[in-house]
mmCIF file of all heavy atoms in Angstrom:
data_model
loop_
_atom_site.group_PDB
_atom_site.id
_atom_site.type_symbol
_atom_site.label_atom_id
_atom_site.label_comp_id
_atom_site.label_asym_id
_atom_site.label_seq_id
_atom_site.Cartn_x
_atom_site.Cartn_y
_atom_site.Cartn_z
ATOM 1 N N THR A 34 122.518 -5.214 146.765
ATOM 2 C CA THR A 34 121.937 -4.563 147.940
ATOM 3 C C THR A 34 121.725 -5.589 149.071
ATOM 4 O O THR A 34 121.645 -6.778 148.815
ATOM 5 C CB THR A 34 120.608 -3.887 147.571
ATOM 6 O OG1 THR A 34 119.701 -4.861 147.064
ATOM 7 C CG2 THR A 34 120.854 -2.779 146.539
ATOM 8 N N GLN A 35 121.647 -5.048 150.272
ATOM 9 C CA GLN A 35 121.577 -5.891 151.462
ATOM 10 C C GLN A 35 120.213 -5.837 152.178
ATOM 11 O O GLN A 35 119.938 -6.651 153.022
ATOM 12 C CB GLN A 35 122.644 -5.445 152.471
ATOM 13 C CG GLN A 35 124.047 -5.350 151.911
ATOM 14 C CD GLN A 35 124.516 -6.648 151.287
ATOM 15 O OE1 GLN A 35 124.339 -7.712 151.831
ATOM 16 N NE2 GLN A 35 125.121 -6.537 150.103
ATOM 17 N N LYS A 36 119.375 -4.830 151.821
ATOM 18 C CA LYS A 36 118.103 -4.645 152.531
ATOM 19 C C LYS A 36 116.980 -4.426 151.533
ATOM 20 O O LYS A 36 117.207 -4.165 150.352
ATOM 21 C CB LYS A 36 118.188 -3.395 153.433
ATOM 22 C CG LYS A 36 119.302 -3.410 154.446
ATOM 23 C CD LYS A 36 119.259 -2.210 155.370
ATOM 24 C CE LYS A 36 119.342 -0.892 154.652
ATOM 25 N NZ LYS A 36 119.401 0.262 155.516
ATOM 26 N N ARG A 37 115.760 -4.503 152.027
ATOM 27 C CA ARG A 37 114.572 -4.264 151.181
ATOM 28 C C ARG A 37 114.620 -2.866 150.575
ATOM 29 O O ARG A 37 114.460 -2.703 149.390
ATOM 30 C CB ARG A 37 113.303 -4.427 152.012
ATOM 31 C CG ARG A 37 112.037 -4.080 151.247
ATOM 32 C CD ARG A 37 111.092 -5.209 151.257
ATOM 33 N NE ARG A 37 109.778 -4.838 150.748
ATOM 34 C CZ ARG A 37 109.202 -5.482 149.756
ATOM 35 N NH1 ARG A 37 109.829 -6.489 149.160
ATOM 36 N NH2 ARG A 37 108.009 -5.148 149.341
ATOM 37 N N SER A 38 114.828 -1.845 151.414
ATOM 38 C CA SER A 38 115.003 -0.467 150.960
ATOM 39 C C SER A 38 116.408 -0.028 151.313
ATOM 40 O O SER A 38 116.817 -0.116 152.473
ATOM 41 C CB SER A 38 114.016 0.479 151.645
ATOM 42 O OG SER A 38 112.708 0.235 151.172
ATOM 43 N N GLN A 39 117.128 0.437 150.298
ATOM 44 C CA GLN A 39 118.518 0.835 150.546
ATOM 45 C C GLN A 39 118.982 1.781 149.444
ATOM 46 O O GLN A 39 118.832 1.503 148.255
ATOM 47 C CB GLN A 39 119.404 -0.397 150.567
ATOM 48 C CG GLN A 39 120.865 -0.127 150.863
ATOM 49 C CD GLN A 39 121.701 -1.390 150.907
ATOM 50 O OE1 GLN A 39 121.238 -2.491 150.609
ATOM 51 N NE2 GLN A 39 122.945 -1.235 151.272
ATOM 52 N N LEU A 40 119.542 2.927 149.851
ATOM 53 C CA LEU A 40 120.194 3.831 148.910
ATOM 54 C C LEU A 40 121.694 3.568 148.976
ATOM 55 O O LEU A 40 122.281 3.568 150.073
ATOM 56 C CB LEU A 40 119.890 5.300 149.246
ATOM 57 C CG LEU A 40 118.658 5.869 148.538
ATOM 58 C CD1 LEU A 40 117.400 5.254 149.086
ATOM 59 C CD2 LEU A 40 118.629 7.377 148.647
ATOM 60 N N VAL A 41 122.286 3.344 147.812
ATOM 61 C CA VAL A 41 123.710 3.014 147.730
ATOM 62 C C VAL A 41 124.422 4.078 146.901
ATOM 63 O O VAL A 41 124.011 4.347 145.754
ATOM 64 C CB VAL A 41 123.927 1.631 147.027
ATOM 65 C CG1 VAL A 41 125.388 1.296 146.932
ATOM 66 C CG2 VAL A 41 123.156 0.534 147.798
ATOM 67 N N THR A 68 111.452 -1.721 140.215
ATOM 68 C CA THR A 68 111.373 -1.567 141.672
ATOM 69 C C THR A 68 112.670 -1.001 142.225
ATOM 70 O O THR A 68 113.009 -1.222 143.380
ATOM 71 C CB THR A 68 111.041 -2.917 142.350
ATOM 72 O OG1 THR A 68 112.043 -3.878 142.005
ATOM 73 C CG2 THR A 68 109.667 -3.415 141.952
ATOM 74 N N ALA A 69 113.359 -0.238 141.411
ATOM 75 C CA ALA A 69 114.576 0.438 141.836
ATOM 76 C C ALA A 69 114.671 1.756 141.051
ATOM 77 O O ALA A 69 113.969 1.940 140.037
ATOM 78 C CB ALA A 69 115.832 -0.417 141.541
ATOM 79 N N ALA A 82 120.884 9.302 153.246
ATOM 80 C CA ALA A 82 120.381 8.108 152.554
ATOM 81 C C ALA A 82 119.415 7.331 153.452
ATOM 82 O O ALA A 82 118.375 6.847 153.013
ATOM 83 C CB ALA A 82 121.516 7.251 152.057
ATOM 84 N N ARG A 83 119.797 7.156 154.739
ATOM 85 C CA ARG A 83 118.935 6.432 155.674
ATOM 86 C C ARG A 83 117.609 7.143 155.862
ATOM 87 O O ARG A 83 116.558 6.530 155.946
ATOM 88 C CB ARG A 83 119.612 6.273 157.028
ATOM 89 C CG ARG A 83 120.994 5.605 157.072
ATOM 90 C CD ARG A 83 121.115 4.200 156.538
ATOM 91 N NE ARG A 83 121.122 4.054 155.096
ATOM 92 C CZ ARG A 83 122.186 4.231 154.283
ATOM 93 N NH1 ARG A 83 123.350 4.594 154.729
ATOM 94 N NH2 ARG A 83 122.045 4.043 152.983
ATOM 95 N N ASP A 84 117.656 8.506 155.880
ATOM 96 C CA ASP A 84 116.416 9.283 155.982
ATOM 97 C C ASP A 84 115.521 9.085 154.777
ATOM 98 O O ASP A 84 114.297 8.988 154.906
ATOM 99 C CB ASP A 84 116.723 10.774 156.159
ATOM 100 C CG ASP A 84 117.297 11.100 157.550
ATOM 101 O OD1 ASP A 84 117.148 10.279 158.474
ATOM 102 O OD2 ASP A 84 117.867 12.220 157.701
ATOM 103 N N PHE A 85 116.095 9.020 153.587
ATOM 104 C CA PHE A 85 115.332 8.753 152.362
ATOM 105 C C PHE A 85 114.655 7.405 152.477
ATOM 106 O O PHE A 85 113.458 7.258 152.132
ATOM 107 C CB PHE A 85 116.229 8.780 151.130
ATOM 108 C CG PHE A 85 116.200 10.071 150.384
ATOM 109 C CD1 PHE A 85 117.186 11.008 150.572
ATOM 110 C CD2 PHE A 85 115.200 10.316 149.448
ATOM 111 C CE1 PHE A 85 117.194 12.198 149.890
ATOM 112 C CE2 PHE A 85 115.205 11.515 148.733
ATOM 113 C CZ PHE A 85 116.175 12.457 148.971
ATOM 114 N N GLU A 86 115.395 6.374 152.887
ATOM 115 C CA GLU A 86 114.826 5.042 153.003
ATOM 116 C C GLU A 86 113.599 5.064 153.932
ATOM 117 O O GLU A 86 112.535 4.547 153.580
ATOM 118 C CB GLU A 86 115.857 4.068 153.555
ATOM 119 C CG GLU A 86 117.044 3.837 152.638
ATOM 120 C CD GLU A 86 118.249 3.214 153.320
ATOM 121 O OE1 GLU A 86 118.166 2.803 154.498
ATOM 122 O OE2 GLU A 86 119.285 3.134 152.633
ATOM 123 N N ALA A 87 113.765 5.675 155.127
ATOM 124 C CA ALA A 87 112.686 5.690 156.107
ATOM 125 C C ALA A 87 111.523 6.532 155.615
ATOM 126 O O ALA A 87 110.347 6.137 155.754
ATOM 127 C CB ALA A 87 113.214 6.270 157.415
ATOM 128 N N ALA A 88 111.795 7.671 154.985
ATOM 129 C CA ALA A 88 110.715 8.540 154.509
ATOM 130 C C ALA A 88 109.890 7.858 153.423
ATOM 131 O O ALA A 88 108.638 7.905 153.472
ATOM 132 C CB ALA A 88 111.302 9.833 153.987
ATOM 133 N N LEU A 89 110.540 7.206 152.473
ATOM 134 C CA LEU A 89 109.792 6.581 151.392
ATOM 135 C C LEU A 89 108.979 5.378 151.896
ATOM 136 O O LEU A 89 107.877 5.114 151.403
ATOM 137 C CB LEU A 89 110.739 6.162 150.267
ATOM 138 C CG LEU A 89 111.248 7.325 149.445
ATOM 139 C CD1 LEU A 89 112.460 6.930 148.607
ATOM 140 C CD2 LEU A 89 110.150 7.923 148.604
ATOM 141 N N GLU A 90 109.459 4.682 152.904
ATOM 142 C CA GLU A 90 108.683 3.583 153.495
ATOM 143 C C GLU A 90 107.457 4.134 154.222
ATOM 144 O O GLU A 90 106.422 3.454 154.267
ATOM 145 C CB GLU A 90 109.546 2.776 154.456
ATOM 146 C CG GLU A 90 110.563 1.914 153.707
ATOM 147 C CD GLU A 90 111.531 1.178 154.621
ATOM 148 O OE1 GLU A 90 111.439 1.336 155.857
ATOM 149 O OE2 GLU A 90 112.375 0.438 154.101
ATOM 150 N N ARG A 91 107.540 5.347 154.770
ATOM 151 C CA ARG A 91 106.387 5.931 155.449
ATOM 152 C C ARG A 91 105.403 6.574 154.464
ATOM 153 O O ARG A 91 104.201 6.486 154.642
ATOM 154 C CB ARG A 91 106.883 6.977 156.455
ATOM 155 C CG ARG A 91 107.466 6.349 157.690
ATOM 156 C CD ARG A 91 107.911 7.394 158.725
ATOM 157 N NE ARG A 91 108.455 6.799 159.899
ATOM 158 C CZ ARG A 91 109.757 6.506 160.047
ATOM 159 N NH1 ARG A 91 110.619 6.772 159.091
ATOM 160 N NH2 ARG A 91 110.196 5.965 161.167
ATOM 161 N N VAL A 93 104.896 5.733 151.341
ATOM 162 C CA VAL A 93 104.227 4.675 150.553
ATOM 163 C C VAL A 93 104.218 3.434 151.467
ATOM 164 O O VAL A 93 105.153 2.640 151.450
ATOM 165 C CB VAL A 93 104.913 4.406 149.226
ATOM 166 C CG1 VAL A 93 104.172 3.350 148.429
ATOM 167 C CG2 VAL A 93 105.083 5.682 148.419
ATOM 168 N N GLU A 95 103.478 -0.170 153.234
ATOM 169 C CA GLU A 95 103.247 -1.583 152.889
ATOM 170 C C GLU A 95 101.829 -2.009 153.249
ATOM 171 O O GLU A 95 101.311 -2.960 152.697
ATOM 172 C CB GLU A 95 104.226 -2.469 153.646
ATOM 173 C CG GLU A 95 105.701 -2.185 153.402
ATOM 174 C CD GLU A 95 106.246 -2.908 152.175
ATOM 175 O OE1 GLU A 95 105.604 -3.900 151.761
ATOM 176 O OE2 GLU A 95 107.280 -2.489 151.677
ATOM 177 N N PRO A 110 104.149 -1.617 146.691
ATOM 178 C CA PRO A 110 104.664 -0.318 147.101
ATOM 179 C C PRO A 110 106.057 -0.009 146.550
ATOM 180 O O PRO A 110 106.432 1.141 146.350
ATOM 181 C CB PRO A 110 104.691 -0.350 148.631
ATOM 182 C CG PRO A 110 104.426 -1.769 149.006
ATOM 183 C CD PRO A 110 103.869 -2.484 147.838
ATOM 184 N N THR A 111 106.814 -1.035 146.233
ATOM 185 C CA THR A 111 108.166 -0.812 145.719
ATOM 186 C C THR A 111 108.125 -0.183 144.331
ATOM 187 O O THR A 111 109.035 0.591 143.984
ATOM 188 C CB THR A 111 109.001 -2.117 145.713
ATOM 189 O OG1 THR A 111 108.476 -3.031 144.765
ATOM 190 C CG2 THR A 111 109.030 -2.756 147.092
ATOM 191 N N HIS A 112 107.128 -0.490 143.554
ATOM 192 C CA HIS A 112 106.974 0.134 142.230
ATOM 193 C C HIS A 112 106.727 1.631 142.364
ATOM 194 O O HIS A 112 107.265 2.420 141.625
ATOM 195 C CB HIS A 112 105.834 -0.529 141.441
ATOM 196 C CG HIS A 112 106.100 -1.939 141.031
ATOM 197 N ND1 HIS A 112 106.907 -2.241 139.943
ATOM 198 C CD2 HIS A 112 105.704 -3.113 141.560
ATOM 199 C CE1 HIS A 112 106.949 -3.555 139.809
ATOM 200 N NE2 HIS A 112 106.267 -4.113 140.784
ATOM 201 N N ARG A 114 107.472 3.596 144.996
ATOM 202 C CA ARG A 114 108.684 4.259 145.517
ATOM 203 C C ARG A 114 109.683 4.493 144.395
ATOM 204 O O ARG A 114 110.319 5.544 144.297
ATOM 205 C CB ARG A 114 109.301 3.418 146.642
ATOM 206 C CG ARG A 114 108.435 3.358 147.876
ATOM 207 C CD ARG A 114 109.007 2.407 148.904
ATOM 208 N NE ARG A 114 108.038 2.185 149.950
ATOM 209 C CZ ARG A 114 107.886 1.055 150.633
ATOM 210 N NH1 ARG A 114 108.684 0.007 150.358
ATOM 211 N NH2 ARG A 114 106.976 0.940 151.563
ATOM 212 N N ALA A 115 109.871 3.489 143.541
ATOM 213 C CA ALA A 115 110.811 3.607 142.427
ATOM 214 C C ALA A 115 110.372 4.718 141.456
ATOM 215 O O ALA A 115 111.188 5.483 140.973
ATOM 216 C CB ALA A 115 110.945 2.296 141.693
ATOM 217 N N PHE A 141 122.034 4.714 143.812
ATOM 218 C CA PHE A 141 121.151 3.678 143.373
ATOM 219 C C PHE A 141 120.125 3.460 144.475
ATOM 220 O O PHE A 141 120.497 3.363 145.655
ATOM 221 C CB PHE A 141 121.928 2.363 143.117
ATOM 222 C CG PHE A 141 121.021 1.221 142.791
ATOM 223 C CD1 PHE A 141 120.566 1.068 141.489
ATOM 224 C CD2 PHE A 141 120.604 0.357 143.762
ATOM 225 C CE1 PHE A 141 119.709 0.023 141.173
ATOM 226 C CE2 PHE A 141 119.736 -0.681 143.470
ATOM 227 C CZ PHE A 141 119.301 -0.846 142.163
ATOM 228 N N CYS A 142 118.847 3.399 144.136
ATOM 229 C CA CYS A 142 117.763 3.307 145.120
ATOM 230 C C CYS A 142 117.090 1.944 145.008
ATOM 231 O O CYS A 142 116.331 1.698 144.055
ATOM 232 C CB CYS A 142 116.752 4.408 144.911
ATOM 233 S SG CYS A 142 117.451 6.061 144.843
ATOM 234 N N GLU A 143 117.311 1.066 145.967
ATOM 235 C CA GLU A 143 116.703 -0.257 145.994
ATOM 236 C C GLU A 143 115.442 -0.193 146.836
ATOM 237 O O GLU A 143 115.437 0.384 147.917
ATOM 238 C CB GLU A 143 117.672 -1.261 146.634
ATOM 239 C CG GLU A 143 117.104 -2.633 146.870
ATOM 240 C CD GLU A 143 116.821 -3.353 145.575
ATOM 241 O OE1 GLU A 143 117.779 -3.844 144.945
ATOM 242 O OE2 GLU A 143 115.655 -3.414 145.157
ATOM 243 N N PHE A 144 114.352 -0.804 146.303
ATOM 244 C CA PHE A 144 113.107 -0.844 147.045
ATOM 245 C C PHE A 144 112.523 -2.263 147.154
ATOM 246 O O PHE A 144 111.477 -2.442 147.776
ATOM 247 C CB PHE A 144 112.078 0.105 146.412
ATOM 248 C CG PHE A 144 112.558 1.518 146.433
ATOM 249 C CD1 PHE A 144 112.837 2.184 145.243
ATOM 250 C CD2 PHE A 144 112.752 2.195 147.621
ATOM 251 C CE1 PHE A 144 113.316 3.498 145.248
ATOM 252 C CE2 PHE A 144 113.212 3.491 147.636
ATOM 253 C CZ PHE A 144 113.491 4.131 146.453
ATOM 254 N N ASP A 145 113.188 -3.249 146.554
ATOM 255 C CA ASP A 145 112.688 -4.620 146.568
ATOM 256 C C ASP A 145 113.821 -5.604 146.752
ATOM 257 O O ASP A 145 113.913 -6.621 146.093
ATOM 258 C CB ASP A 145 111.914 -4.891 145.253
ATOM 259 C CG ASP A 145 111.018 -6.107 145.335
ATOM 260 O OD1 ASP A 145 110.619 -6.493 146.454
ATOM 261 O OD2 ASP A 145 110.658 -6.642 144.274
ATOM 262 N N GLY A 146 114.708 -5.257 147.667
ATOM 263 C CA GLY A 146 115.899 -6.067 147.875
ATOM 264 C C GLY A 146 115.702 -7.078 148.979
ATOM 265 O O GLY A 146 114.624 -7.231 149.514
ATOM 266 N N PRO A 147 116.804 -7.739 149.316
ATOM 267 C CA PRO A 147 118.130 -7.590 148.701
ATOM 268 C C PRO A 147 118.174 -8.289 147.336
ATOM 269 O O PRO A 147 117.546 -9.321 147.135
ATOM 270 C CB PRO A 147 119.057 -8.256 149.698
ATOM 271 C CG PRO A 147 118.207 -9.175 150.494
ATOM 272 C CD PRO A 147 116.799 -8.624 150.463
ATOM 273 N N ARG A 148 118.938 -7.691 146.431
ATOM 274 C CA ARG A 148 119.071 -8.212 145.067
ATOM 275 C C ARG A 148 120.386 -7.759 144.461
ATOM 276 O O ARG A 148 121.031 -6.861 144.983
ATOM 277 C CB ARG A 148 117.973 -7.661 144.154
ATOM 278 C CG ARG A 148 116.583 -8.136 144.446
ATOM 279 C CD ARG A 148 115.616 -7.517 143.463
ATOM 280 N NE ARG A 148 114.256 -7.877 143.761
ATOM 281 C CZ ARG A 148 113.455 -8.550 142.982
ATOM 282 N NH1 ARG A 148 113.890 -8.940 141.778
ATOM 283 N NH2 ARG A 148 112.222 -8.831 143.313
ATOM 284 N N ARG A 150 121.553 -5.915 141.100
ATOM 285 C CA ARG A 150 120.907 -5.057 140.097
ATOM 286 C C ARG A 150 121.936 -4.560 139.098
ATOM 287 O O ARG A 150 123.145 -4.582 139.350
ATOM 288 C CB ARG A 150 120.258 -3.849 140.768
ATOM 289 C CG ARG A 150 119.244 -4.186 141.829
ATOM 290 C CD ARG A 150 117.971 -4.783 141.268
ATOM 291 N NE ARG A 150 116.880 -4.609 142.205
ATOM 292 C CZ ARG A 150 115.635 -4.498 141.851
ATOM 293 N NH1 ARG A 150 115.260 -4.570 140.582
ATOM 294 N NH2 ARG A 150 114.706 -4.341 142.773
#
Side-chain angles (χ1 to χ4, degrees):
T34 58
Q35 309 303 316
K36 303 185 302 185
R37 175 124 169 124
S38 290
Q39 183 179 6
L40 269 69
V41 179
T68 58
R83 305 301 76 82
D84 288 343
F85 262 98
E86 295 163 7
L89 287 165
E90 287 174 359
R91 285 182 180 90
V93 183
E95 300 274 341
T111 66
H112 291 281
R114 293 174 191 147
F141 174 83
C142 307
E143 174 68 77
F144 299 114
D145 198 21
R148 293 180 183 241
R150 303 290 202 151

